[in-house]
Each structure stands twice: as structure tokens, then as C-alpha cells.
Amino acid sequence: MINLHFIDDVYPIISNEPYKERQIARGFLLDENNKLSILKISRDDMFGKLTYIESSGGGIDDGENMNDAIKREIREETGYESEIISYIGIVTDHYNLLKRKNIQHYFLLKKGKYVGKHLVSLGDNFINEVSFMSVDDLYKEYSSFLNKKDISYLVARKEIPVLNEIKKILDIRC
């Protein structure tokens, strides 16, 4: 199980006010071909105008446990029901522009039946596409962001270690 911590070294600190802490459930959905779900994100906001990839996820609501939260987030963003295969661990990261410390609980889930997307949060508006990719293709895509100095880099550096853990799980299962 992973437990990683990253500090935002891309965007400037904009004020001395304390960072707000947010608990997040985040995960990858595994399909019948051992491919993982991924969201294609396009944005034009304080982080810049860019397109990148990221796993599904979002805030854990008050009174909600993280297992229920990840299933809800997967259903909202991909449209699929899911079953938890494994808890991967925690990645904590900071976003200077948002003044936020995210404590992200990562999961690997099995894809169930399609029930339709239900995009509800402001961040959901950035989702252009949901697709499924092999672990190796996801590594290549994320690696292409490691030389950039924008949010795609911050996402890639936290999700590559998660992919390493998922690869171990998939190797054991095969």
C-alpha cells in the first residue's frame, strides 16, 4: 500500500492563508480486457489552457465512507457501476492556486454494468472523454507530462506510483 506526499512546486504560493484539507476518493476502473478507465480533461482556467488525463475521483461527502464515495464518483464520471478490487493507498498533495491539501484515497475497481453518467460537480465540466487504456499505454501518456510544468505534471507524478501498485495487483491476478 502506498502513502506518498507531494508539494506543489509548479504554481506560486498566492497567499499565507492556511490550506484547506479535502478528503478525496479516486480510482481506476478495470474492464474485462485488463484496461483501466481514464478521463480526458480539458480546461482553460487558473491552471492554464491544456488537455491531460486523470483518474476518476472527487470529494468524500459528509457522512459518506470512502468505499461508497469511490463507487459514486466512478458511476457519476464514467457511467459504470463498480466493485472494489483493492485499496491502493493514500497520495497527499497540495495545490497552491487552490490553497488546498488533498488527501486522496486510491482504489482499483472492477467495471460493472453501464447505468449512464451523472456529472454533478463543477470539475465534471472539464471531462471530455472516458476511455480505457492498458497500464503500459497509461505510463506512456503520463510520462509525456513529466517534462511539463503545469497541472498535468502534478497529476502524472502522483498517478504513476498508483499505476505501479495496480500493475503488481494485475500481475498477481493473471
Side-chain angles (χ1 to χ4, degrees), residues 8-37:
D8 184 344
D9 59 354
V10 173
Y11 297 96
I13 296 172
I14 55 174
S15 76
N16 289 331
E17 69 183 70
Y19 285 70
K20 293 178 183 169
E21 191 172 288
R22 184 175 187 218
Q23 296 286 328
I24 294 174
R26 186 169 287 290
F28 291 91
L29 195 57
L30 182 69
D31 74 4
E32 59 281 352
N33 298 312
N34 276 347
K35 292 186 176 183
L36 300 172
S37 62

Tab-separated table of all heavy atoms in Angstrom, residues 8-37:
chain	number	residue	atom	x	y	z
A	8	ASP	N	3.264	21.173	-4.171
A	8	ASP	CA	3.159	21.877	-5.444
A	8	ASP	C	4.421	22.699	-5.663
A	8	ASP	O	4.681	23.675	-4.965
A	8	ASP	CB	1.915	22.790	-5.417
A	8	ASP	CG	1.652	23.503	-6.731
A	8	ASP	OD1	2.553	23.565	-7.589
A	8	ASP	OD2	0.536	24.029	-6.876
A	9	ASP	N	5.228	22.276	-6.643
A	9	ASP	CA	6.443	23.002	-6.986
A	9	ASP	C	6.340	23.632	-8.378
A	9	ASP	O	7.341	23.976	-8.982
A	9	ASP	CB	7.666	22.092	-6.886
A	9	ASP	CG	7.585	20.870	-7.784
A	9	ASP	OD1	6.533	20.649	-8.423
A	9	ASP	OD2	8.575	20.123	-7.861
A	10	VAL	N	5.108	23.787	-8.849
A	10	VAL	CA	4.872	24.358	-10.171
A	10	VAL	C	4.264	25.751	-10.075
A	10	VAL	O	4.747	26.693	-10.691
A	10	VAL	CB	3.942	23.437	-11.005
A	10	VAL	CG1	3.553	24.094	-12.329
A	10	VAL	CG2	4.625	22.091	-11.255
A	11	TYR	N	3.196	25.881	-9.313
A	11	TYR	CA	2.466	27.143	-9.222
A	11	TYR	C	2.905	27.920	-7.982
A	11	TYR	O	3.213	27.325	-6.948
A	11	TYR	CB	0.954	26.882	-9.190
A	11	TYR	CG	0.470	26.240	-10.459
A	11	TYR	CD1	0.317	24.861	-10.550
A	11	TYR	CD2	0.198	27.014	-11.583
A	11	TYR	CE1	-0.108	24.268	-11.729
A	11	TYR	CE2	-0.230	26.418	-12.765
A	11	TYR	CZ	-0.375	25.050	-12.833
A	11	TYR	OH	-0.792	24.467	-13.999
A	12	PRO	N	2.924	29.245	-8.056
A	12	PRO	CA	3.365	30.048	-6.915
A	12	PRO	C	2.366	30.022	-5.764
A	12	PRO	O	1.163	29.835	-5.964
A	12	PRO	CB	3.465	31.461	-7.502
A	12	PRO	CG	2.493	31.465	-8.634
A	12	PRO	CD	2.510	30.073	-9.198
A	13	ILE	N	2.880	30.193	-4.559
A	13	ILE	CA	2.022	30.355	-3.383
A	13	ILE	C	1.415	31.748	-3.484
A	13	ILE	O	2.132	32.733	-3.632
A	13	ILE	CB	2.823	30.182	-2.082
A	13	ILE	CG1	3.356	28.745	-1.998
A	13	ILE	CG2	1.972	30.520	-0.874
A	13	ILE	CD1	4.317	28.495	-0.852
A	14	ILE	N	0.086	31.835	-3.408
A	14	ILE	CA	-0.573	33.107	-3.662
A	14	ILE	C	-0.927	33.885	-2.399
A	14	ILE	O	-1.224	35.062	-2.469
A	14	ILE	CB	-1.826	32.919	-4.543
A	14	ILE	CG1	-2.786	31.903	-3.915
A	14	ILE	CG2	-1.455	32.495	-5.940
A	14	ILE	CD1	-4.113	31.758	-4.640
A	15	SER	N	-0.918	33.208	-1.247
A	15	SER	CA	-1.199	33.913	-0.001
A	15	SER	C	-0.697	33.080	1.168
A	15	SER	O	-0.323	31.924	1.009
A	15	SER	CB	-2.703	34.183	0.162
A	15	SER	OG	-3.379	33.003	0.533
A	16	ASN	N	-0.703	33.686	2.346
A	16	ASN	CA	-0.269	32.975	3.544
A	16	ASN	C	-1.401	32.288	4.281
A	16	ASN	O	-1.184	31.721	5.344
A	16	ASN	CB	0.444	33.946	4.496
A	16	ASN	CG	1.799	34.361	3.961
A	16	ASN	OD1	2.442	33.608	3.244
A	16	ASN	ND2	2.221	35.570	4.289
A	17	GLU	N	-2.615	32.353	3.732
A	17	GLU	CA	-3.733	31.701	4.410
A	17	GLU	C	-3.506	30.185	4.409
A	17	GLU	O	-2.847	29.639	3.518
A	17	GLU	CB	-5.061	32.061	3.758
A	17	GLU	CG	-5.264	31.488	2.369
A	17	GLU	CD	-6.569	31.937	1.738
A	17	GLU	OE1	-6.674	33.129	1.397
A	17	GLU	OE2	-7.462	31.095	1.577
A	18	PRO	N	-4.028	29.504	5.427
A	18	PRO	CA	-3.798	28.052	5.522
A	18	PRO	C	-4.499	27.287	4.401
A	18	PRO	O	-5.511	27.735	3.863
A	18	PRO	CB	-4.385	27.682	6.880
A	18	PRO	CG	-5.303	28.791	7.242
A	18	PRO	CD	-4.824	30.014	6.531
A	19	TYR	N	-3.948	26.127	4.080
A	19	TYR	CA	-4.547	25.253	3.077
A	19	TYR	C	-5.749	24.542	3.690
A	19	TYR	O	-5.704	24.095	4.830
A	19	TYR	CB	-3.532	24.201	2.608
A	19	TYR	CG	-2.477	24.765	1.686
A	19	TYR	CD1	-1.505	25.636	2.150
A	19	TYR	CD2	-2.459	24.421	0.348
A	19	TYR	CE1	-0.539	26.164	1.307
A	19	TYR	CE2	-1.496	24.935	-0.513
A	19	TYR	CZ	-0.548	25.805	-0.026
A	19	TYR	OH	0.394	26.321	-0.865
A	20	LYS	N	-6.826	24.449	2.914
A	20	LYS	CA	-7.991	23.681	3.346
A	20	LYS	C	-7.734	22.225	2.994
A	20	LYS	O	-7.218	21.914	1.927
A	20	LYS	CB	-9.257	24.174	2.653
A	20	LYS	CG	-9.653	25.570	3.078
A	20	LYS	CD	-10.883	26.045	2.341
A	20	LYS	CE	-11.170	27.477	2.757
A	20	LYS	NZ	-12.178	28.095	1.919
A	21	GLU	N	-8.113	21.333	3.887
A	21	GLU	CA	-7.912	19.913	3.668
A	21	GLU	C	-9.166	19.297	3.066
A	21	GLU	O	-10.278	19.595	3.496
A	21	GLU	CB	-7.585	19.237	5.001
A	21	GLU	CG	-7.097	17.838	4.864
A	21	GLU	CD	-6.608	17.286	6.187
A	21	GLU	OE1	-5.538	17.720	6.652
A	21	GLU	OE2	-7.313	16.422	6.741
A	22	ARG	N	-8.981	18.435	2.067
A	22	ARG	CA	-10.107	17.772	1.405
A	22	ARG	C	-9.809	16.284	1.273
A	22	ARG	O	-8.762	15.902	0.747
A	22	ARG	CB	-10.333	18.382	0.033
A	22	ARG	CG	-11.543	17.834	-0.693
A	22	ARG	CD	-11.761	18.587	-1.993
A	22	ARG	NE	-13.009	18.181	-2.617
A	22	ARG	CZ	-13.167	18.042	-3.919
A	22	ARG	NH1	-12.172	18.304	-4.744
A	22	ARG	NH2	-14.324	17.662	-4.413
A	23	GLN	N	-10.723	15.459	1.755
A	23	GLN	CA	-10.636	14.005	1.597
A	23	GLN	C	-11.250	13.638	0.248
A	23	GLN	O	-12.378	14.053	-0.058
A	23	GLN	CB	-11.397	13.293	2.717
A	23	GLN	CG	-10.831	13.522	4.102
A	23	GLN	CD	-9.537	12.758	4.339
A	23	GLN	OE1	-9.317	11.673	3.820
A	23	GLN	NE2	-8.666	13.345	5.145
A	24	ILE	N	-10.514	12.868	-0.542
A	24	ILE	CA	-10.938	12.530	-1.895
A	24	ILE	C	-10.846	11.020	-2.103
A	24	ILE	O	-9.885	10.387	-1.673
A	24	ILE	CB	-10.052	13.259	-2.933
A	24	ILE	CG1	-10.275	14.771	-2.829
A	24	ILE	CG2	-10.295	12.750	-4.353
A	24	ILE	CD1	-9.359	15.599	-3.687
A	25	ALA	N	-11.841	10.470	-2.777
A	25	ALA	CA	-11.803	9.080	-3.233
A	25	ALA	C	-11.496	9.108	-4.725
A	25	ALA	O	-12.132	9.848	-5.485
A	25	ALA	CB	-13.135	8.394	-2.967
A	26	ARG	N	-10.500	8.344	-5.146
A	26	ARG	CA	-10.045	8.378	-6.537
A	26	ARG	C	-9.712	6.956	-6.967
A	26	ARG	O	-9.214	6.171	-6.176
A	26	ARG	CB	-8.818	9.287	-6.623
A	26	ARG	CG	-8.334	9.537	-8.026
A	26	ARG	CD	-7.302	10.653	-8.056
A	26	ARG	NE	-7.881	11.975	-7.856
A	26	ARG	CZ	-8.655	12.610	-8.741
A	26	ARG	NH1	-8.960	12.048	-9.888
A	26	ARG	NH2	-9.120	13.810	-8.478
A	27	GLY	N	-9.983	6.626	-8.237
A	27	GLY	CA	-9.672	5.267	-8.654
A	27	GLY	C	-9.718	5.025	-10.150
A	27	GLY	O	-10.129	5.875	-10.938
A	28	PHE	N	-9.270	3.825	-10.472
A	28	PHE	CA	-9.252	3.329	-11.835
A	28	PHE	C	-10.201	2.147	-11.924
A	28	PHE	O	-10.185	1.263	-11.071
A	28	PHE	CB	-7.840	2.873	-12.233
A	28	PHE	CG	-6.853	3.986	-12.378
A	28	PHE	CD1	-6.077	4.382	-11.299
A	28	PHE	CD2	-6.676	4.632	-13.594
A	28	PHE	CE1	-5.145	5.409	-11.428
A	28	PHE	CE2	-5.753	5.661	-13.731
A	28	PHE	CZ	-4.983	6.048	-12.644
A	29	LEU	N	-10.985	2.123	-12.971
A	29	LEU	CA	-11.941	1.063	-13.238
A	29	LEU	C	-11.296	0.069	-14.202
A	29	LEU	O	-10.788	0.468	-15.251
A	29	LEU	CB	-13.179	1.701	-13.875
A	29	LEU	CG	-14.467	0.938	-13.967
A	29	LEU	CD1	-14.935	0.478	-12.592
A	29	LEU	CD2	-15.528	1.835	-14.599
A	30	LEU	N	-11.290	-1.208	-13.849
A	30	LEU	CA	-10.679	-2.263	-14.658
A	30	LEU	C	-11.764	-2.945	-15.492
A	30	LEU	O	-12.765	-3.411	-14.937
A	30	LEU	CB	-9.990	-3.275	-13.742
A	30	LEU	CG	-9.245	-4.429	-14.402
A	30	LEU	CD1	-7.999	-3.912	-15.123
A	30	LEU	CD2	-8.861	-5.471	-13.351
A	31	ASP	N	-11.543	-2.999	-16.818
A	31	ASP	CA	-12.543	-3.658	-17.668
A	31	ASP	C	-12.160	-5.117	-17.914
A	31	ASP	O	-11.140	-5.604	-17.410
A	31	ASP	CB	-12.786	-2.872	-18.961
A	31	ASP	CG	-11.675	-2.980	-19.996
A	31	ASP	OD1	-10.683	-3.724	-19.805
A	31	ASP	OD2	-11.791	-2.297	-21.043
A	32	GLU	N	-12.972	-5.792	-18.711
A	32	GLU	CA	-12.785	-7.225	-18.970
A	32	GLU	C	-11.517	-7.530	-19.773
A	32	GLU	O	-11.066	-8.671	-19.840
A	32	GLU	CB	-14.022	-7.797	-19.681
A	32	GLU	CG	-14.373	-7.148	-21.005
A	32	GLU	CD	-15.119	-5.808	-20.877
A	32	GLU	OE1	-15.513	-5.414	-19.766
A	32	GLU	OE2	-15.283	-5.144	-21.918
A	33	ASN	N	-10.892	-6.517	-20.379
A	33	ASN	CA	-9.646	-6.688	-21.140
A	33	ASN	C	-8.418	-6.215	-20.361
A	33	ASN	O	-7.366	-5.986	-20.954
A	33	ASN	CB	-9.749	-5.925	-22.467
A	33	ASN	CG	-10.865	-6.443	-23.334
A	33	ASN	OD1	-10.995	-7.639	-23.539
A	33	ASN	ND2	-11.692	-5.542	-23.839
A	34	ASN	N	-8.570	-6.039	-19.047
A	34	ASN	CA	-7.494	-5.542	-18.179
A	34	ASN	C	-7.019	-4.148	-18.573
A	34	ASN	O	-5.849	-3.803	-18.403
A	34	ASN	CB	-6.307	-6.507	-18.104
A	34	ASN	CG	-6.523	-7.590	-17.062
A	34	ASN	OD1	-7.433	-7.509	-16.238
A	34	ASN	ND2	-5.688	-8.599	-17.105
A	35	LYS	N	-7.932	-3.348	-19.099
A	35	LYS	CA	-7.627	-1.949	-19.384
A	35	LYS	C	-8.265	-1.097	-18.295
A	35	LYS	O	-9.268	-1.476	-17.691
A	35	LYS	CB	-8.151	-1.546	-20.767
A	35	LYS	CG	-7.388	-2.238	-21.885
A	35	LYS	CD	-7.819	-1.735	-23.230
A	35	LYS	CE	-6.955	-2.379	-24.310
A	35	LYS	NZ	-7.304	-1.842	-25.629
A	36	LEU	N	-7.652	0.061	-18.052
A	36	LEU	CA	-8.076	0.954	-16.971
A	36	LEU	C	-8.789	2.186	-17.514
A	36	LEU	O	-8.398	2.743	-18.543
A	36	LEU	CB	-6.854	1.403	-16.153
A	36	LEU	CG	-6.057	0.291	-15.489
A	36	LEU	CD1	-4.782	0.852	-14.886
A	36	LEU	CD2	-6.887	-0.429	-14.442
A	37	SER	N	-9.810	2.614	-16.790
A	37	SER	CA	-10.528	3.824	-17.175
A	37	SER	C	-9.643	5.042	-16.963
A	37	SER	O	-8.812	5.083	-16.052
A	37	SER	CB	-11.797	3.978	-16.337
A	37	SER	OG	-11.470	4.119	-14.962
